[in-house]
Amino acid sequence: MSAVWRASRAAVKRRRLQAFVIGLVVLCSTTTVLLALGLLDVATSPFDKAYAAQRGPHTVAAFDPAKATPEQLAQTARRPGVTAAAGPFGQSVLDVPKGWLWMPGGSLRVVGRADPGGPVDRVEVLEGRWATAPGEIVVAWPSAGTPGTELLGTTLEVPGSAPLTVVGFAAGMGKSADAWVSPEQMTALRPATAQMLYRFSDSATQARLDAALARATAGLPEGALTSAHTHLDLRKAFSSLADAYLPFMTLFGVLGLLVSALIVGNVVSGAVVSGYRHIGVLKALGFTPNQVVAVYLAMTAVPALVGSAAGTLLGNALAGPVLRIAFSGIETGRAAVGGVSSWVSVVCLLGMPALVVLTALVPALRAHRLPTARAISAGSAPLTGRGLRVQRVLAGSRLPRAVSMGLGQPFARPGRTLLTLAAIVLGVTTVTLATGLTSTMLAYSEAGRGGGALVRVEAGGPDNGRAAPLLGDARIEERLRSLPGAAGVRARALAQVTLVGQSRPAFADFYRGDDASSAGRIAEGRMPGAAGEVVAGPAFLTQNGLRLGDRVTLALGGRQTSATVVGELIEGNARALEASWDTLLPLAPDARAVEYEVRLAPGADARAYAAAAEATDPGLRASVSDAGNTATTTVVAFSTVFTVLLSAVASLGVFNTVLLGTRERRRDLGMLKSIGMTPRQVVLMTVTSVAGVGAVGGLLGIPLGILAHRLVVDNVGVVSFPESMKAVWDAPQLSGLLLAGVAIAVMGALVPARSAARTTIAAALHTE
Amino acid sequence: MTTDHDTARQVVVRLDDVHKEYGDAKALDGVCLEIHAGDAVAVMGPSGCGKSTLLNMVAGLDRPTSGTVEVQGHDLGELNETGLALFRRRHVGMVFQFFNLIDDLPALDNVALAAQLTGTPARQARRRALELLDELGVADRRNNYPATLSGGERQRVAVARALMNRPALLLADEPTGALDSRSGEQVMDLLIDLNQMGQTLLIVTHDPELATRCASRLVEVADGRIARQSVLEATA
């Protein structure tokens, strides 16, 4: 065993507590960094990651089988620029009746595929199995979760062919089909189109994708290619939702990295500086300066390696549930977004010890240059000239002496104090940001609520497969209004309308009745009050290029009506808008409500009301509305996890500072106790030495946190918070936040302070 | 050894069958000792004999394994840590071999500190500290930090601090051990003067000259026991 290693081992053993602190800080920091990097990794390109995992097609191309043979199409897969291809698959369009499965009726794009895997567009079977024989069909499930097994076995009548039985539900991010059948069944359906799925080496832009497709299909007869759509269209629709959370998540990730780096730097440089005397002794024994540096680096690297390994394990264990919560509100398709890439673990495992060693290198190199005699005397040498004037002023103040001495201590070690201050500032910034976000999100989740519980009463009909109500629309509303506990009733009709000039259809909700609480859902403008007025969420307005005051034309069943955008909702579906019932009448004069929202009086029994509503008419189904809100849960849960972790790391930084301080001042503490300083006064002095720094940290961290909060809430794409939800700060809350800095400091200082109070005086006074 | 004259004076320190063990090692082994008001007692003995442990017991810096330590009528064994701190504050002043001044405070504030801990206002404490520094001949060095004082000056400041709260008992652990001979002489003279003004002294030392010049009684310790006690004639 080399002398360097032996000395390093001895140093770690002798400084068990300090090694433990370094290990613990590195553990917490690694966990935070792993979560932050995992978050950034997942949040940066969730669609691309999920899409790549499913080998999603960059381009889905449709060909005319009368002009290009299957052999010709298969050859396109071997053209330059094509990295993978699948097909040709037969494609046919079937008509489905209104109310088949969950569909509003219309057409179903069916593709014949022998299996769900392959080099491109790996489809995941969610329920049941893949269609392998004629007469079987697998239907694409469009959203999160699964439809359940009860819909398996549903049949679809096909004109001129045997009926198709649903044997499975599947999902593919490529959206290459609405349903799949076996190739044999597809032949029976007489496909009018041949589908090819391509992945290209260059898929970054629409122009490059067009060029790549042109190269691949260059040899085909003219007119063979009938249509194509690319993954960029899908990504645009996806990212409008996922991007909404990115500012918030990125900010927390960056904060995590900053705090961790700062604390590690503080802890390690403190450990090296406090070990100058030990360095001097080693030099006196004959260790070369380089060997001394090596001893010190090894001494800090050992606990850092252990801490980073444990932190990587803990971070990976936490990452699953934390990221699942974080992305639970985002439409991620079927690919698992919750996992952390292995490179993140590797970076943490190697990067954190490297960071520790690099941080240790700077003070260790100072020790390298330090003359031996000076190094030996370091630690006990008087530190004249540092903050002495401040200490004199404090000594003459009316403050209790233990307090004034504590307040003066940060000035004796300004560098260390600044590092500690920075850690507390970032800790308070995090707490402020989290508090603000929680307040905003809670206000947001309360928007449009108020009064008592909300009961939704759904009318039966072809859309849900239940019997229609016996009572008329107006009569139902009247009955619901008359039931005990009802404070307000709002009827809703739903229609899939076309926005003239837009390619995608929109879902429009038309309301009539009491809407007293709906004003709280408006971020800007007002709710529709008359015919020809609509409102929508920010995602809808952005995607359709609309602003307040713009005119739109709604079309339904051959009728049209124009409307003005009079308000922006705080949030809303990217494909949905809202209007008053009067706007629906020109489009569908005979329309009736599909649902009634009943706001109960405060204290009314929601379950009793729901039972009474169902008893009114057998065609009604009532449910008590769930108060939960995915976005609120996501943001609040994530804020809490990061706040706890970062506050703990910041407190550990303070803990280390105080520990080093009390060890360096061991002789002073012994002397103070010998002249009558009580243990309580020792604790008071030690805690005060960082409480002042904590208070300053609070003062600096609060405005930074408020700024960060404003930055986040102004950039959450799918939610447009009104000013009332952004201005969440009040005097008691700010006072509480000011205490957060002090609390972080006191939490970190308490243990070493109590330990200092128990110092054996006799031993401390003989350390000369 | 107790005389009729001693009996008439108040007992400041009483140690009764005091034992102190550190693991298997016996630092004190059945020590009995009485010190009366106005006494100047020197404790001598070879290194590791237990003399510093004896001083620590009297100062309430350490607790005996068994036996009783009474100072000014207080049974130190019955006091908790806070009680011991308050006891030291009111009844004991300590002078150390290596001064143990706070490097960050000038001489005046080092001395005033002892009074400020008791809640004495800063101005009043500084006034008293200045008086003491003046009495000890270092008032002109009041604004100097310890690093800029000579060894003798530092020890005078330390003595001033020990006297700040007018203790019944002044304890000195090798008070001249870190000083050159001239500074040592000055400190010795200071201790003699203090004793002549009625201050009770307990001095632990290796230095026979210090013991014979400053003390009226010599206690010799060996292997944790009091080997011999003798009355000394004043030589000052």
Side-chain angles (χ1 to χ4, degrees):
Chain A
M1 187 188 292
S2 76
V4 169
W5 179 240
R6 192 181 289 271
S8 306
R9 268 187 53 174
V12 171
K13 275 188 178 175
R14 194 166 53 86
R15 296 159 169 257
R16 278 192 208 95
L17 185 60
Q18 199 152 41
F20 176 73
V21 170
I22 292 176
L24 195 61
V25 166
V26 173
L27 186 152
C28 284
S29 302
T30 307
T31 306
T32 310
V33 168
L34 191 137
L35 284 175
L37 283 180
L39 182 65
L40 290 174
D41 171 48
V42 173
T44 303
S45 53
F47 177 84
D48 290 342
K49 290 175 74 70
Y51 205 73
Q54 289 201 342
R55 305 278 297 161
H58 291 141
T59 297
V60 177
F63 297 91
D64 183 349
K67 293 185 176 171
T69 64
E71 291 73 25
Q72 285 176 308
L73 292 177
Q75 281 177 1
T76 62
R78 292 187 285 277
R79 293 285 161 80
V82 178
T83 56
F89 303 126
Q91 178 179 308
S92 186
V93 175
L94 301 179
D95 288 329
V96 290
K98 189 176 182 184
W100 187 73
L101 295 176
W102 53 83
M103 298 179 192
S107 57
L108 192 72
R109 191 166 44 120
V110 184
V111 167
R113 273 176 71 165
D115 67 83
V120 183
D121 196 25
R122 290 171 185 163
V123 177
E124 184 188 354
V125 178
L126 307 173
E127 298 282 0
R129 59 174 175 79
W130 193 250
T132 53
E136 295 176 346
I137 186 168
V138 172
V139 182
W141 173 247
S143 53
T146 65
T149 52
E150 60 270 20
L151 293 175
L152 293 175
T154 306
T155 55
L156 175 65
E157 296 297 330
V158 181
S161 175
L164 296 172
T165 304
V166 177
V167 295
F169 295 107
M173 288 189 75
K175 310 271 186 207
S176 59
D178 300 323
W180 297 270
V181 294
S182 66
E184 295 78 15
Q185 177 62 55
M186 181 48 65
T187 305
L189 292 174
R190 290 181 295 278
T193 306
Q195 184 189 68
M196 283 294 292
L197 309 174
Y198 297 104
R199 282 181 68 82
F200 296 117
S201 54
D202 189 355
S203 60
T205 64
Q206 187 66 46
R208 289 176 185 181
L209 283 166
D210 290 344
L213 183 62
R215 273 197 303 276
T217 59
L220 297 179
E222 194 176 337
L225 177 67
T226 54
S227 68
H229 74 258
T230 71
H231 73 118
L232 297 179
D233 302 329
L234 298 170
R235 184 159 72 174
K236 190 177 172 189
F238 168 85
S239 64
S240 65
L241 289 169
D243 290 352
Y245 291 95
L246 290 189
F248 149 73
M249 291 175 175
T250 306
L251 198 63
F252 267 108
V254 170
L255 270 174
L257 279 169
L258 270 177
V259 174
S260 303
L262 209 63
I263 297 295
V264 167
N266 189 3
V267 169
V268 176
S269 60
V272 174
V273 169
S274 71
Y276 273 178
R277 191 176 180 131
H278 177 242
I279 289 167
V281 170
L282 291 177
K283 281 184 173 180
L285 285 173
F287 278 69
T288 66
N290 285 341
Q291 281 178 319
V292 170
V293 171
V295 166
Y296 250 73
L297 295 186
M299 191 186 95
T300 49
V302 169
L305 275 170
V306 175
S308 67
T312 304
L313 286 175
L314 182 64
N316 271 297
L318 283 174
V322 167
L323 294 178
R324 221 175 1 260
I325 291 169
F327 283 87
S328 63
I330 295 176
E331 184 189 311
T332 53
R334 304 309 308 175
V337 164
V340 171
S341 307
S342 52
W343 72 264
V344 174
S345 294
V346 173
V347 163
C348 287
L349 206 55
L350 302 177
M352 289 306 284
L355 175 69
V356 170
V357 168
L358 266 178
T359 321
L361 195 59
V362 178
L365 287 175
R366 273 168 63 196
H368 178 279
R369 292 189 297 270
L370 204 65
T372 308
R374 214 178 127 205
I376 287 176
S377 65
S380 62
L383 297 164
T384 50
R386 278 180 168 179
L388 298 177
R389 190 171 298 172
V390 177
Q391 301 208 32
R392 284 217 67 180
V393 172
L394 286 167
S397 71
R398 289 172 180 273
L399 291 167
R401 197 63 184 102
V403 173
S404 61
M405 288 188 78
L407 288 174
Q409 280 181 18
F411 298 96
R413 289 262 188 215
R416 195 181 294 169
T417 302
L418 278 176
L419 279 173
T420 310
L421 179 67
I424 294 175
V425 166
L426 286 175
V428 175
T429 302
T430 309
V431 173
T432 307
L433 171 62
T435 309
L437 282 175
T438 303
S439 301
T440 299
M441 295 310 291
L442 289 177
Y444 161 65
S445 69
E446 286 299 314
R449 293 167 63 85
L454 183 69
V455 176
R456 295 184 187 279
V457 182
E458 191 185 5
D463 289 348
N464 52 33
R466 291 203 305 271
L470 302 173
L471 297 171
D473 188 12
R475 188 89 177 113
I476 292 171
E477 187 180 334
E478 187 188 325
R479 285 283 183 91
L480 292 175
R481 207 179 287 281
S482 65
L483 288 175
V489 178
R490 204 157 74 119
R492 178 173 73 93
L494 172 67
Q496 186 174 323
V497 299
T498 302
L499 245 65
V500 175
Q502 301 288 345
S503 57
R504 288 199 303 168
F507 297 99
D509 285 316
F510 299 93
Y511 290 97
R512 68 161 192 262
D514 307 304
D515 62 348
S517 58
S518 58
R521 296 171 53 228
I522 280 284
E524 198 181 347
R526 58 177 175 78
M527 288 300 282
E533 293 181 347
V534 297
V535 293
F540 180 91
L541 296 179
T542 305
Q543 285 188 19
N544 291 289
L546 294 171
R547 286 190 295 187
L548 260 65
D550 285 354
R551 300 277 295 170
V552 292
T553 301
L554 308 179
L556 178 66
R559 299 167 193 258
Q560 288 192 354
T561 186
S562 61
T564 306
V565 181
V566 296
E568 183 183 21
L569 293 168
I570 292 169
E571 57 114 20
N573 189 298
R575 295 179 63 187
L577 57 86
E578 292 183 17
S580 67
W581 197 274
D582 294 337
T583 307
L584 175 62
L585 292 177
L587 297 170
D590 301 326
R592 57 179 295 161
V594 294
E595 188 185 75
Y596 304 86
E597 294 175 1
V598 184
R599 176 69 65 191
L600 300 186
D605 186 343
R607 304 217 172 275
Y609 183 91
E614 288 189 353
T616 304
D617 189 304
L620 298 178
R621 286 282 180 279
S623 60
V624 179
S625 186
D626 182 9
N629 180 301
T630 309
T632 303
T633 311
T634 305
V635 173
V636 171
F638 210 78
S639 299
T640 307
V641 169
F642 263 82
T643 303
V644 168
L645 265 176
L646 294 182
S647 299
V649 172
S651 280
L652 272 174
V654 176
F655 172 86
N656 179 68
T657 303
V658 176
L659 189 70
L660 289 175
T662 53
R663 291 201 160 184
E664 283 171 14
R665 299 178 69 89
R666 196 162 170 259
R667 188 175 57 91
D668 286 355
L669 284 169
M671 187 282 296
L672 288 167
K673 291 177 79 174
S674 78
I675 62 170
M677 186 174 262
T678 63
R680 190 172 292 182
Q681 284 176 311
V682 173
V683 172
L684 182 65
M685 178 181 71
T686 312
V687 169
T688 308
S689 71
V690 286
V693 179
V696 174
L699 281 174
L700 296 174
I702 290 170
L704 286 175
I706 291 174
L707 202 67
H709 169 258
R710 176 59 70 151
L711 202 67
V712 170
V713 295
D714 279 348
N715 288 288
V716 177
V718 288
V719 184
S720 178
F721 295 108
E723 194 54 37
S724 61
M725 290 184 192
K726 295 178 191 172
V728 293
W729 313 104
D730 52 43
Q733 197 176 24
L734 291 174
S735 310
L737 287 171
L738 187 62
L739 289 179
V742 180
I744 288 172
V746 170
M747 274 194 300
L750 214 50
V751 172
R754 291 172 71 92
S755 164
R758 287 195 296 269
T759 308
T760 311
I761 311 169
L765 292 176
H766 288 88
T767 53
E768 196 69 22
Chain B
M1 186 163 58
T2 307
T3 64
D4 292 342
H5 177 64
D6 289 340
T7 319
R9 288 183 290 143
Q10 183 199 351
V11 175
V12 176
V13 177
R14 176 179 287 126
L15 273 69
D16 185 14
D17 195 23
V18 172
H19 293 256
K20 179 66 185 178
E21 292 163 12
Y22 296 105
D24 294 335
K26 284 185 176 178
L28 294 179
D29 186 10
V31 171
C32 297
L33 179 68
E34 276 192 4
I35 299 173
H36 294 84
D39 276 358
V41 177
V43 179
M44 290 190 69
S47 290
C49 70
K51 54 186 188 299
S52 286
T53 306
L54 176 66
L55 190 83
N56 290 340
M57 296 294 155
V58 175
L61 300 182
D62 208 346
R63 293 174 184 276
T65 309
S66 65
T68 310
V69 180
E70 276 185 25
V71 180
Q72 283 286 88
H74 296 279
D75 182 349
L76 303 193
E78 291 180 353
L79 300 178
N80 60 15
E81 283 304 308
T82 302
L84 283 174
L86 296 177
F87 154 77
R88 283 191 294 272
R89 193 186 282 179
R90 291 174 192 146
H91 303 293
V92 173
M94 290 196 73
V95 178
F96 302 94
Q97 180 180 2
F98 295 108
F99 329 121
N100 286 330
L101 296 173
I102 295 197
D103 298 321
D104 300 337
L105 297 178
L108 185 73
D109 287 341
N110 257 292
V111 178
L113 186 63
Q116 284 181 281
L117 281 178
T118 66
T120 306
R123 184 172 295 185
Q124 197 179 322
R126 280 178 167 169
R127 194 162 50 235
R128 160 95 177 130
L130 189 58
E131 284 169 14
L132 279 168
L133 289 174
D134 189 37
E135 284 173 24
L136 299 179
V138 281
D140 59 327
R141 312 289 278 161
R142 62 182 177 277
N143 290 326
N144 284 60
Y145 287 91
T148 62
L149 298 174
S150 71
E153 287 170 335
R154 285 189 217 181
Q155 197 60 296
R156 281 167 178 270
V157 173
V159 171
R161 185 182 62 192
L163 297 173
M164 188 67 189
N165 291 331
R166 298 182 176 86
L169 179 64
L170 184 64
L171 303 172
D173 188 0
E174 303 283 7
T176 58
L179 301 177
D180 58 58
S181 58
R182 187 165 163 272
S183 299
E185 288 278 337
Q186 290 174 342
V187 171
M188 278 188 232
D189 291 342
L190 176 61
L191 293 174
I192 292 164
D193 290 347
L194 287 170
N195 183 237
Q196 284 177 350
M197 287 187 280
Q199 178 68 56
T200 310
L201 295 177
L202 175 59
I203 305 166
V204 167
T205 183
H206 271 105
D207 183 359
E209 191 192 348
L210 172 67
T212 50
R213 278 191 60 187
C214 298
S216 55
R217 185 148 59 106
L218 179 65
V219 176
E220 290 176 67
V221 180
D223 298 328
R225 293 168 171 272
I226 293 180
R228 197 160 69 109
Q229 291 196 53
S230 52
V231 177
L232 299 170
E233 288 182 13
T235 55

